[in-house]
Amino acid sequence: MGNFLPRAESLFLQWLENFITKIATYAATFGLSGSQVDQFTTDRDSVKSNLADVDSLKKTLQSKVKTKDEVVATARKHALDLAVILKRHTSYTEAIGEDLGIVAPDDSGQGSLDTAKPRFWATVLVEMVLLDWLKEKSDGQVFYSKRGTETEYKKLDRDFRSPMEDKRPNLVPGVPETRWYKSRFLKDDKEVGLWSDEVSVIVNI
């Protein structure tokens, strides 16, 4: 017997609403007790309440992520602005700059990217996977991914400012899936260097 219940939670809630409306008319025919029929009303109310809670949390998370991005951007601007002021001061030296960490890495060894391995970290959120990565001497990273039953990596996207957001919905709605990621550096719009280590996470978006 095939599964007649919708996989998507919103559609399952609709199914429950219809079932509750109709099952009462068949209770006597099948000898169902009042508690058996009432159980579905209890289930419906619980599902509806929890779906609303999760939706509220998603909106809260979106707001917090936006605030976080703004706070980080502001802090970066303050650091860059002050670095410019310090470097223009007559007392500034390269030694001080290195000590404060306001000296950019030496790009003279650009060829080292040919043997460099990218690094990144995957964080699973409510409606996305965040890929935080290190730029080092590159222009960015290009990410490849496979998920669920897929057997081959496919190009996901290029990113020039960490983090990258993977907001793809699951291949099968409501069913958790494993996603694998790997990346390479980008320089002058070309992929260079070694492949990163493979990173996998379990996602239900």
Side-chain angles (χ1 to χ4, degrees):
M1 180 184 297
N3 189 350
F4 55 87
L5 296 175
R7 288 184 178 274
E9 294 167 344
S10 59
L11 295 179
F12 174 59
L13 182 59
Q14 293 178 21
W15 181 92
L16 274 174
E17 296 282 9
N18 177 72
F19 187 77
I20 291 168
T21 301
K22 305 293 178 57
I23 191 60
T25 62
Y26 296 106
T29 302
F30 293 100
L32 301 177
S33 67
S35 61
Q36 285 178 299
V37 174
D38 291 343
Q39 179 61 58
F40 289 96
T41 300
T42 301
D43 290 342
R44 185 274 315 276
D45 292 344
S46 182
V47 169
K48 192 172 185 178
S49 174
N50 279 273
L51 286 178
D53 288 345
V54 170
D55 185 58
S56 177
L57 287 172
K58 285 182 178 180
K59 292 178 180 178
T60 299
L61 178 61
Q62 289 175 339
S63 176
K64 288 187 176 295
V65 169
K66 181 180 179 181
T67 300
K68 180 268 298 180
D69 290 343
E70 293 172 350
V71 168
V72 172
T74 299
R76 288 181 181 277
K77 183 179 185 305
H78 290 163
L80 291 171
D81 289 347
L82 184 57
V84 171
I85 294 173
L86 296 179
K87 289 179 178 180
R88 289 175 177 173
H89 197 280
T90 55
S91 298
Y92 176 80
T93 65
E94 283 296 304
I96 293 176
E98 291 176 1
D99 193 38
L100 291 173
I102 60 174
V103 178
D106 181 9
D107 287 336
S108 60
Q110 197 170 6
S112 62
L113 277 180
D114 293 336
T115 56
K117 177 187 287 190
R119 290 179 291 168
F120 68 92
W121 298 265
T123 303
V124 179
L125 300 179
V126 175
E127 56 185 22
M128 72 178 75
V129 179
L130 278 184
L131 301 174
D132 289 283
W133 52 273
L134 297 179
K135 193 170 187 177
E136 300 187 27
K137 298 180 180 179
S138 71
D139 295 328
Q141 288 194 27
V142 55
F143 288 88
Y144 289 76
S145 176
K146 64 179 180 179
R147 53 186 176 146
T149 57
E150 295 176 346
T151 58
E152 295 183 357
Y153 275 95
K154 299 177 182 178
K155 182 181 288 188
L156 179 58
D157 204 353
R158 300 183 303 169
D159 197 44
F160 300 96
R161 181 178 178 182
S162 180
M164 178 176 172
E165 299 177 353
D166 179 7
K167 295 184 177 180
R168 295 174 297 170
N170 283 26
L171 291 172
V172 180
V175 178
E177 68 184 21
T178 301
R179 295 188 185 181
W180 293 266
Y181 299 94
K182 64 180 181 179
S183 69
R184 292 184 73 194
F185 280 126
L186 285 171
K187 192 66 180 179
D188 298 327
D189 210 29
K190 295 180 181 179
E191 295 183 25
V192 295
L194 305 176
W195 284 104
S196 69
D197 292 331
E198 185 179 71
V199 175
S200 66
V201 292
I202 298 177
V203 181
N204 190 5
I205 298 175

